[in-house]
Amino acid sequence: VPETVDSPRVRYRRQVRAEVLDHAWLQIATAGVSALSLKAIAAELGLTGPALYRYFASRDELLTELILTAYADLAQVAEACVDHRQTPVRQLEGLAVELRHWALARPQRYLLLYGTPVPGYRAPPEATALAGRIFAPVHAAVRALGDGQREQQGDAYLRSVTFWTRLHGVLSLELAGHFSGMDLDPEALYRNEIQSVITGR
Amino acid sequence: VPETVDSPRVRYRRQVRAEVLDHAWLQIATAGVSALSLKAIAAELGLTGPALYRYFASRDELLTELILTAYADLAQVAEACVDHRQTPVRQLEGLAVELRHWALARPQRYLLLYGTPVPGYRAPPEATALAGRIFAPVHAAVRALGDGQREQQGDAYLRSVTFWTRLHGVLSLELAGHFSGMDLDPEALYRNEIQSVITGR
DNA sequence: TGTACATCAGTGAACGCGCGTTCACTGATGTAC
DNA sequence: TGTACATCAGTGAACGCGCGTTCACTGATGTAC
């Protein structure tokens, strides 16, 4: 059996790329997107700045990869919540809970996708497709929910978007620290919002 | 009558300060907070960088002033919506509509307060007080709303916060451009969210 | 009204820092015969 | 198995840019006598 293994060079390349991305995430987690710097990453890896141009054509390309990775990761989380043995209600609850876990685990990653846009940066078209993959499970579950309540599909769409905006409303303010001085349990608030959409209205 | 008028120097100082702030807002509106630069503002005013240190102790102090101004401005808008001749429902509708106008008129100003926090910058304590002044009219109106529905005050608080998070959820995603490819009327969605809280649930 | 003085807005040079990106190069690693 | 060659990761110097901030200074404006 001829073991078709990647050549050492390919493996090495892949490993360095991964390390660059790891440190990029670390930078973002620490000081936000604006702190993302090729030279700084290189230094952390014990390399000089120009070395990274063997792996990424530019800072923007690195940023694009990070964004697409984040979208893909969240899409996978969302799709993993699709389980037709579960009721639509359970699926929506699961989606919301997983979204919150995902966001709280790495706030800056969530903000990279849904926070204030990076000025001067335009997301690639693939991002839209991935955003759709995140939304689809929500939409499907809400539609299934509506079947038992003989709803129009326009209503289901509005309801799905509302699900999304309500969760984002709580999450983004929580991540930005706007609840900090406010004698408030963000999780309870979040749970409340989940139920509000499921119950209807 | 001894006309106690400000001395020319004081007036001049005030005018230059105002011009600096104007150009600061212009920069923020154009390229976001991260683009805020003392040297660039000075250049636009036909001055050199160090000249601005006659007016602001540092970049952070300028940023603080901008943030406090924005909070104060929005607080005034909110307070202007308090009108006891109006029903609570009307007042809440007014508050929401005015908030949206305020946000859409200058998106970056809204994001400066409620968007992704500026890394490394800590808002001064006064900001919290002003944020309270913005929230108070909402809370008052929601309480008045609950009087006719014999509600606990804990519920009113939760409901007020929910009012805020729901509006923010729609607004922030709209401002970030996340609805752009989505066959969706943000205004209709927004109106829907206003009603959702007023109607209860 | 005129003169001496104090105030203070603004300059220009400089410091130290960081950034993305290019370019000619070295030297190690792989490949082909 | 050994040699010639091609590939390519990484370097170091450089470019041009921008930033916040300090400091000693000039010169105009205001104030006090």
Side-chain angles (χ1 to χ4, degrees):
Chain A
V1 185
E3 289 227 342
T4 318
V5 168
D6 291 318
S7 73
R9 263 204 183 142
V10 167
R11 289 195 322 172
Y12 178 78
R13 263 195 137 265
R14 188 161 46 221
Q15 213 230 32
V16 174
R17 259 186 84 91
E19 278 176 32
V20 171
L21 290 168
D22 277 355
H23 281 82
W25 281 121
L26 222 129
Q27 277 194 357
I28 288 181
T30 306
V33 212
S34 57
L36 185 68
S37 148
L38 287 183
K39 275 190 174 171
I41 292 171
E44 279 173 11
L45 292 176
L47 299 176
T48 61
L52 296 203
Y53 284 80
R54 292 272 163 203
Y55 302 92
F56 298 92
S58 66
R59 195 198 104 119
D60 264 24
E61 196 187 281
L62 171 61
L63 183 55
T64 294
E65 180 134 347
L66 293 169
I67 289 175
L68 293 182
T69 302
Y71 269 121
D73 195 70
L74 183 55
Q76 208 173 313
V77 169
E79 285 164 355
C81 292
V82 176
D83 180 353
H84 294 293
R85 292 165 308 179
Q86 297 273 346
T87 62
V89 168
R90 274 279 158 73
Q91 285 186 57
L92 283 174
E93 285 172 346
L95 276 162
V97 167
E98 289 304 318
L99 173 65
R100 186 155 193 272
H101 283 163
W102 193 85
L104 293 184
R106 299 218 226 148
Q108 293 291 349
R109 183 178 53 172
Y110 181 87
L111 293 173
L112 183 63
L113 300 188
Y114 299 110
T116 308
V118 180
Y121 175 82
R122 283 191 65 80
E126 295 102 298
T128 312
L130 287 165
R133 269 182 56 199
I134 296 168
F135 185 64
V138 175
H139 196 19
V142 170
R143 266 199 311 257
L145 195 71
D147 283 349
Q149 307 173 7
R150 65 191 181 308
E151 218 178 338
Q152 263 88 16
Q153 55 179 346
D155 286 342
Y157 185 66
L158 182 64
R159 206 167 163 184
S160 305
V161 174
T162 299
F163 189 65
W164 178 40
T165 62
R166 286 189 188 173
L167 299 185
H168 171 74
V170 176
L171 270 182
S172 64
L173 288 171
E174 181 180 4
L175 294 184
H178 282 285
F179 295 153
S180 57
M182 276 188 79
D183 188 30
L184 193 82
D185 180 5
E187 196 183 337
L189 183 61
Y190 192 78
R191 272 199 302 266
N192 213 56
E193 287 302 71
I194 300 173
Q195 293 308 318
S196 75
V197 179
I198 289 175
T199 316
R201 275 273 104 176
Chain B
V1 185
E3 289 227 340
T4 317
V5 168
D6 293 318
S7 74
R9 263 205 182 137
V10 168
R11 289 197 321 170
Y12 179 80
R13 261 194 139 268
R14 188 160 49 218
Q15 214 229 33
V16 174
R17 258 185 86 90
E19 278 176 33
V20 171
L21 291 168
D22 277 356
H23 281 83
W25 280 120
L26 221 129
Q27 277 194 358
I28 288 181
T30 307
V33 212
S34 57
L36 185 67
S37 149
L38 286 183
K39 275 190 174 174
I41 292 171
E44 279 173 10
L45 291 176
L47 299 176
T48 62
L52 296 204
Y53 285 80
R54 292 272 164 203
Y55 303 93
F56 299 92
S58 66
R59 196 198 103 118
D60 264 24
E61 196 189 281
L62 171 60
L63 183 54
T64 295
E65 179 134 349
L66 293 169
I67 289 174
L68 292 182
T69 303
Y71 270 119
D73 194 69
L74 183 54
Q76 207 173 315
V77 168
E79 285 166 355
C81 292
V82 176
D83 180 353
H84 294 293
R85 292 165 307 179
Q86 296 273 345
T87 63
V89 169
R90 273 279 158 74
Q91 285 186 57
L92 283 174
E93 286 173 344
L95 276 162
V97 166
E98 289 305 318
L99 174 64
R100 187 156 193 270
H101 282 162
W102 193 85
L104 294 184
R106 300 218 225 147
Q108 294 290 350
R109 184 178 53 174
Y110 181 88
L111 293 174
L112 183 63
L113 300 188
Y114 299 111
T116 308
V118 180
Y121 175 82
R122 282 192 65 81
E126 297 101 300
T128 312
L130 288 165
R133 270 182 56 199
I134 296 168
F135 186 64
V138 174
H139 196 21
V142 169
R143 267 198 312 257
L145 195 70
D147 282 348
Q149 307 172 7
R150 63 192 181 306
E151 218 178 338
Q152 265 86 19
Q153 54 180 348
D155 287 341
Y157 186 65
L158 181 64
R159 206 168 163 183
S160 305
V161 174
T162 300
F163 188 66
W164 177 40
T165 62
R166 287 190 187 172
L167 299 186
H168 171 74
V170 176
L171 269 182
S172 65
L173 288 171
E174 180 180 4
L175 294 183
H178 281 285
F179 296 152
S180 58
M182 275 189 83
D183 188 30
L184 193 82
D185 180 5
E187 197 184 335
L189 183 61
Y190 192 78
R191 272 198 303 264
N192 212 56
E193 287 301 70
I194 300 173
Q195 292 307 318
S196 76
V197 179
I198 289 176
T199 316
R201 275 274 104 174

